[in-house]
Amino acid sequence: MHLDKQSPAKGEGAGFDPAPQLRGLDVLIVTSGHEITDARVYSKQACSIQFLGARVTLVGRLEGKKPAGVNVITVPAPSSRLTRFLWQPWRCLWAARRIDAHIIHFHDAEMLMTLPIAKLWWRRSKFVYDVHEDFANLMLVRDWLPKILKPFVRTMTNATEKILASLADAIVGVTPPLLDKFRNHERIVAYNYVAESFFNRAVKVSINSREREFDVVHLGTLNVRRSHFLVDVLKEFHRLRPTARSLVIGVFPEIENELKPLLPEGCTLIGKVPHEEIPRLLTNSKVGLDVHPWLGDHLKVAVPVKVCEYMAAGCAVVSSHMPVLVKILDDAQVDEEDVRIIHGGNPIDYARAALQMVESIEKGADPGARLRRAALNHMVWEKEAVKIAQLYLRLLRRPCAI
């Protein structure tokens, strides 16, 4: 079975039932901020819901090759940040106007501004708002916003999001505290866990922990402040271990250009890569880093997906303290020696923890194998997809046998 098409492969220990319980449902998924092939939107939600029998149409911008598994309608990329927030949602709504759907699933907070009109256009449809992050509190850390305006923008964004979200028939949130921000009658948590296809790719390309090329890896985008903190962590790590090899994956071009001259010798920097390439890179790394040394309000309700992906790839983990992450790890009974949680913002603490883990792996320990088993038991996306499917059926007052 091809893992990138509409049917996610069954994964070891996941227990995902592929019965087509959503047969006959038309689902429209609209994203104004994410690219169509974003992992959460496409390969997780759209493909999983289609695998359960629904006819899915996905609307948004496309930067690469058009995917074959799910029907997509593309819109041009916004020409500026202002265009994205003020015009792109309406462009997406116009592109979707001829689609007849039982469920319309909105991603991105700015799509909410179209919700009053959308409810008039699709009178019989049920609307779901998918909350990926604390959008309002993120305004406080946006590099592009003038500092003096950040509190005002945060307050206005928070109020507007809550008011417009109240018009939705249901809310899907990626963590419980993020979901608690809303008071809609129908609300569910669907953690942004790892798809079974990711586990399967990781197994196929996995390397023995002691033989992996890179000692530490950091995956994902960074703002300016965090990127400089990561540089300091890597400099300390390479100072403690002069022969070290490190890897940084997925930074934005503007951050990549800024980091290149700052990183220590022995560090490889890779920009944006297709998500299907991530397992190959992670399974060639011993320890995964997650650095969020300043615990802003937007992080108190978040879970770093990269930590789950590190675990799925068999990496040991060094991560900043984040309340929801710690709760998930405790529920999964993860040993604190396999995932080192760092409080505060001292680069040397991250570097020393990573060094201890690398040295332990070289002596024969295999924390990554234990973490992969924990991820398989507790962090598989397809179980979350079933929650979304059950929500759809409840909204439509249809029998729920999933």
Side-chain angles (χ1 to χ4, degrees), residues 225-226 229-230 233 290-296 299 319-322 342-347 350:
R225 191 182 184 197
R226 283 181 58 228
F229 184 88
L230 177 62
V233 170
D290 174 51
V291 293
H292 286 95
W294 307 285
L295 192 63
L299 295 176
S319 174
S320 300
H321 178 273
M322 297 175 68
I342 307 297
H343 294 260
N346 195 334
Y350 291 83

Side-chain angles (χ1 to χ4, degrees), residues 198-234:
F198 188 102
F199 283 98
N200 293 343
R201 288 193 195 96
V203 167
K204 291 179 181 178
V205 297
S206 186
I207 300 170
N208 181 281
S209 296
R210 296 175 66 180
E211 299 172 358
R212 297 185 178 193
E213 178 181 358
F214 296 101
D215 296 304
V216 297
V217 60
H218 182 278
L219 170 67
T221 58
L222 294 155
N223 61 24
V224 173
R225 191 182 184 197
R226 283 181 58 228
S227 68
H228 285 278
F229 184 88
L230 177 62
V231 167
D232 291 340
V233 170
L234 293 175

Side-chain angles (χ1 to χ4, degrees), residues 162-363:
K162 286 182 177 179
I163 291 170
L164 292 174
S166 68
L167 300 176
D169 297 287
I171 305 289
V172 175
V174 294
T175 68
L178 183 57
L179 193 66
D180 288 343
K181 177 179 177 179
F182 303 91
R183 293 291 176 262
N184 299 57
H185 175 67
E186 278 285 2
R187 300 180 299 162
I188 66 163
V189 175
Y191 289 100
N192 196 13
Y193 284 152
V194 182
E196 290 181 343
S197 57
F198 188 102
F199 283 98
N200 293 343
R201 288 193 195 96
V203 167
K204 291 179 181 178
V205 297
S206 186
I207 300 170
N208 181 281
S209 296
R210 296 175 66 180
E211 299 172 358
R212 297 185 178 193
E213 178 181 358
F214 296 101
D215 296 304
V216 297
V217 60
H218 182 278
L219 170 67
T221 58
L222 294 155
N223 61 24
V224 173
R225 191 182 184 197
R226 283 181 58 228
S227 68
H228 285 278
F229 184 88
L230 177 62
V231 167
D232 291 340
V233 170
L234 293 175
K235 284 181 176 178
E236 291 287 359
F237 181 77
H238 282 258
R239 180 182 63 81
L240 295 172
R241 185 179 172 86
T243 61
R245 296 290 309 281
S246 58
L247 177 64
V248 178
I249 311 167
V251 295
F252 290 132
E254 58 270 24
I255 299 294
E256 182 178 0
N257 294 333
E258 186 168 338
L259 287 190
K260 278 181 180 179
L262 303 176
L263 289 168
E265 186 177 351
C267 180
T268 300
L269 180 63
I270 301 176
K272 184 177 179 180
V273 298
H275 192 258
E276 58 268 20
E277 289 295 313
I278 298 300
R280 178 183 59 82
L281 295 167
L282 294 187
T283 55
N284 199 22
S285 306
K286 297 183 179 78
V287 179
L289 295 176
D290 174 51
V291 293
H292 286 95
W294 307 285
L295 192 63
D297 289 340
H298 67 292
L299 295 176
K300 294 176 182 178
V301 300
V303 171
V305 180
K306 63 171 66 68
V307 170
C308 303
E309 293 179 335
Y310 292 153
M311 293 172 63
C315 300
V317 177
V318 174
S319 174
S320 300
H321 178 273
M322 297 175 68
V324 183
L325 172 64
V326 171
K327 176 66 165 58
I328 289 172
L329 295 174
D330 286 346
D331 290 346
Q333 298 182 328
V334 170
D335 194 301
E336 62 182 15
E337 292 301 309
D338 297 338
V339 177
R340 303 284 180 88
I341 300 296
I342 307 297
H343 294 260
N346 195 334
I348 189 64
D349 294 332
Y350 291 83
R352 285 173 177 162
L355 179 64
Q356 290 169 4
M357 282 192 155
V358 169
E359 291 177 344
S360 176
I361 290 169
E362 290 180 340
K363 292 176 182 177

